[in-house]
Amino acid sequence: MDLSPVRVRFAPSPTGRMHLGSARTALYCYLLARRTGGTFILRIEDTDRKRYVEGAEQELIDGLHWLGLDYDEGPDIGGPYGPYRQTERREIYQKWADELVERGRAFHCFCTPERLEQVRQEQQKNKQNPRYDGTCRDIPLEEARRRAANGEKHVIRFKMPREGQTKAVDVMRGEITWEYSQLDDTVLLKSDGLPTYHLAAMVDDYEMKVTHVIRGSEWLSTFPVHVNVIRALGWPEPVWMHLSVFLKPSGKGKMSKREAAEAVKDGHSIFVMDLKDLGYTPEGVLNWIVLMGWGVAEDDVMSLDDMINRFTTDNLNPSPAAINFAKLDHFNGTHIRLMQADDLAGRIKPFFEREGYRVDNAKLLKIVPLIRERLVTLDDCIPFAGFFFKDDVSPLPQDLLAKDLSPAQSADVARKALAILEALPEISHPSAEPPLRQFVEEAGLHPNQVFGILRVAVTGQKVSPPLFESMEIIGRETVLARIRRAVDMLSGL
Ligand code: GLU
């Protein structure tokens, strides 16, 4: 791969939520820019006002920031080629549309939507590809300009050659050839004066000096339109890459809206900001998506810096990738275990707070090493460790019963363990474990019988972090009070 500094843009449309596909496109753009010491641009393609969704741009910006994919130029930070929001660049598109008309490569089309619909139906009936029938292609320019100046409603269409072939190169897919007879006179400027993607993106890539276009493969079908527009204007062509599509976990087709919603109930999502709320880390998500279409070892655990150092477009893979949430869990857990304790503490704290717990930082730092190994998502800290921040716990009496022991026997075990702990000036792992183990042995019990009662008594739950460390964090007085209460509860059974 050529390592000269690139200018590469992530150019989302604010038409919905930021999903994994956009995140991966943004990531590859970012990696290519950083790998080559180039520039990563965010451009908002908001010319489709019908599909515009309020708040979508902010979610994209939040998503990029959360993932750590900081851009060098963009709508909120500016840059030398701004503005970076297409609706703020109208005149620029108008100018280049005029230029294409002037060069005889585009034309005014006055056809009404009703007529176009009729043509479409006719073509469908005759089993032809639906395309513009050419009615306005040959209106003399003077006449067209006069009609337009008189306010007659019109669009500007690209004048696609009618015969021969056109070719373009996608670095992942090689050279692609199209017959002109299959291509349409695509609309470049709509009747409201706003450009379509086909004009706006090409103009902006040129004006913003974009050298590499990394985008989704949904643009492959209109790829020949784009290269023809660029060539008609005599502009340099960027390097093109159309990324693979994401398929649903079964590998059969794309995920539907309903399936996407179902995934959330399962603790997963295809939307970036949902993943944040579900307790995934940017590191885990990035590691997961970077491998969906990049041919390095599947289980490579990489930080963003590692990715930058290793990234190359040479082994990007165009075949569709099935979304595999188990891998996301794997990478998320792995990255959690790689975090420094204070970093992890800072990340799980908001999840405790979301549950209404008041979190003491010093205590939190002690808890982190006890739960780190067991966290798949950050919010797993709640079931494992939420009890640490409760003033009181309320175990179920039945849960206090030790396996194979009656209530009276369980109460007796609890009472004896209590006496052992009461005799200790402080309760810590080294002070509490040896005398309790000795008791287990002398009483001929199974360790789980004794420690199970104590665990439920002290933490209120059957599954918890290691018992002695937990008791140490909870503190002697509270531990003793909770075991006394458990003795009472068992005695009452
Ligand atoms: N606005 C287009 C989209 O959201 C971007 C395609 C491109 O990167 O050129 O799909």
Side-chain angles (χ1 to χ4, degrees):
M1 183 181 76
D2 179 4
L3 288 180
S4 336
V6 300
R7 285 184 57 84
V8 61
R9 86 295 186 284
F10 172 51
S13 300
T15 52
R17 305 201 55 200
M18 184 184 190
H19 53 74
L20 296 175
S22 346
R24 186 193 53 178
T25 303
L27 174 58
Y28 287 175
C29 289
Y30 173 88
L31 292 177
L32 184 60
R34 294 293 171 265
R35 175 87 174 98
T36 61
T39 307
F40 177 43
I41 304 160
L42 171 64
R43 181 172 78 218
I44 300 294
E45 302 205 323
D46 57 349
T47 60
D48 189 344
R49 302 313 285 174
K50 283 198 217 92
R51 295 179 56 220
Y52 181 80
V53 172
E54 197 62 49
E57 177 181 323
Q58 193 55 48
E59 182 169 335
L60 282 157
I61 290 178
D62 292 346
L64 290 174
H65 286 321
W66 181 66
L67 290 168
L69 306 180
D70 296 327
Y71 41 90
D72 308 303
E73 299 171 22
D76 54 336
I77 54 171
Y81 302 98
Y84 293 89
R85 212 176 272 117
Q86 288 186 328
T87 47
E88 293 166 21
R89 303 170 60 80
R90 280 171 194 254
E91 307 78 50
I92 305 177
Y93 309 119
Q94 183 71 55
K95 179 182 91 184
W96 289 112
D98 291 345
E99 177 67 26
L100 282 168
V101 171
E102 188 66 40
R103 291 180 181 216
R105 301 305 309 274
F107 59 95
H108 297 76
C109 170
F110 300 93
C111 295
T112 61
E114 296 75 34
R115 201 190 82 73
L116 294 172
E117 179 54 27
Q118 248 172 15
V119 171
R120 202 184 60 81
Q121 284 182 7
E122 198 71 12
Q123 287 169 333
Q124 239 173 7
K125 237 196 302 171
N126 300 334
K127 306 236 172 324
Q128 293 165 323
N129 274 343
R131 56 198 286 238
Y132 182 61
D133 66 351
T135 304
C136 296
R137 256 175 92 105
D138 298 317
I139 298 176
L141 185 52
E142 286 312 306
E143 182 191 331
R145 285 198 169 133
R146 201 175 47 245
R147 287 170 68 178
N150 281 341
E152 198 172 330
K153 215 168 172 190
H154 66 279
V155 300
I156 303 285
R157 288 182 184 272
F158 188 65
K159 201 179 226 173
M160 194 57 90
R162 283 283 155 98
E163 278 159 26
Q165 293 180 327
T166 184
K167 295 179 197 299
V169 176
D170 169 295
V171 294
M172 296 161 62
R173 298 158 200 267
E175 188 178 75
I176 310 176
T177 304
W178 298 266
E179 299 293 330
Y180 274 126
S181 61
Q182 298 301 311
L183 302 177
D184 205 356
D185 292 336
T186 309
V187 175
L188 300 180
L189 207 63
K190 294 177 282 186
S191 57
D192 61 2
L194 279 172
T196 58
Y197 170 81
H198 314 295
L199 178 66
M202 298 314 112
V203 166
D204 287 344
D205 288 346
Y206 170 69
E207 297 261 348
M208 296 177 179
K209 301 200 169 19
V210 166
T211 59
H212 289 63
V213 171
I214 302 181
R215 60 182 184 178
S217 56
E218 67 269 27
W219 297 108
L220 270 175
S221 60
T222 43
F223 184 21
V225 177
H226 307 143
V227 294
N228 273 274
V229 168
I230 289 177
R231 290 170 193 167
L233 287 163
W235 292 341
E237 234 181 275
V239 175
W240 303 95
M241 275 163 260
H242 295 88
L243 301 178
S244 61
V245 289
F246 284 170
L247 302 178
K248 60 178 134 184
S250 64
K252 296 194 185 106
K254 287 204 200 173
M255 210 142 181
S256 69
K257 277 214 167 110
R258 190 181 52 78
E259 288 162 329
E262 283 295 308
V264 177
K265 284 190 211 141
D266 222 23
H268 296 121
S269 180
I270 59 167
F271 299 113
V272 173
M273 293 313 271
D274 281 357
L275 292 173
K276 172 179 187 248
D277 288 342
L278 290 165
Y280 289 96
T281 61
E283 289 88 340
V285 173
L286 290 173
N287 206 152
W288 181 47
I289 57 177
V290 82
L291 297 175
M292 288 162 77
W294 181 28
V296 289
E298 280 242 313
D299 56 352
D300 269 356
V301 174
M302 290 181 276
S303 68
L304 193 52
D305 280 341
D306 298 332
M307 294 176 204
I308 293 171
N309 292 329
R310 291 177 61 182
F311 190 70
T312 153
T313 53
D314 293 344
N315 44 9
L316 291 184
N317 184 346
S319 7
I323 295 171
N324 181 341
F325 288 119
K327 279 194 186 153
L328 169 61
D329 288 345
H330 162 72
F331 284 118
N332 207 60
T334 305
H335 279 283
I336 285 177
R337 287 189 287 283
L338 288 171
M339 282 172 199
Q340 300 291 327
D342 54 345
D343 181 11
L344 181 53
R347 300 209 210 194
I348 57 180
K349 188 173 176 182
F351 288 91
F352 285 118
E353 290 173 339
R354 191 171 78 179
E355 289 296 304
Y357 296 120
R358 245 181 308 115
V359 177
D360 172 81
N361 286 336
K363 193 172 183 182
L364 183 60
L365 264 180
K366 288 189 205 150
I367 293 167
V368 163
L370 304 189
I371 61 173
R372 189 206 314 258
E373 294 301 315
R374 311 184 62 167
L375 301 182
V376 172
T377 51
L378 296 172
D379 64 346
D380 286 344
C381 66
I382 304 299
F384 287 143
F387 68 88
F388 280 114
F389 300 105
K390 286 186 188 161
D391 291 335
D392 211 355
V393 296
S394 25
L396 295 174
Q398 312 85 286
D399 287 350
L400 287 164
L401 283 176
K403 191 160 182 280
D404 299 330
L405 297 186
S406 69
Q409 288 169 316
S410 298
D412 190 49
V413 167
R415 218 174 282 118
K416 287 183 174 140
L418 175 63
I420 292 168
L421 292 171
E422 277 174 333
L424 300 173
E426 44 99 33
I427 295 180
S428 67
H429 185 180
S431 73
E433 188 172 4
L436 281 172
R437 287 221 179 260
Q438 193 184 346
F439 164 58
V440 167
E441 237 163 79
E442 286 170 3
L445 292 164
H446 190 276
N448 283 350
Q449 290 174 308
V450 179
F451 301 150
I453 297 176
L454 294 179
R455 182 186 308 282
V456 176
V458 170
T459 69
Q461 51 196 55
K462 286 176 150 176
V463 180
S464 82
L467 177 64
F468 298 109
E469 284 90 339
S470 300
M471 292 203 292
E472 190 171 327
I473 292 171
I474 291 167
R476 183 175 186 275
E477 293 319 309
T478 308
V479 166
L480 296 180
R482 288 182 184 176
I483 301 174
R484 276 182 209 119
R485 198 184 50 180
V487 170
D488 290 346
M489 287 171 86
L490 282 168
S491 310
L493 277 183

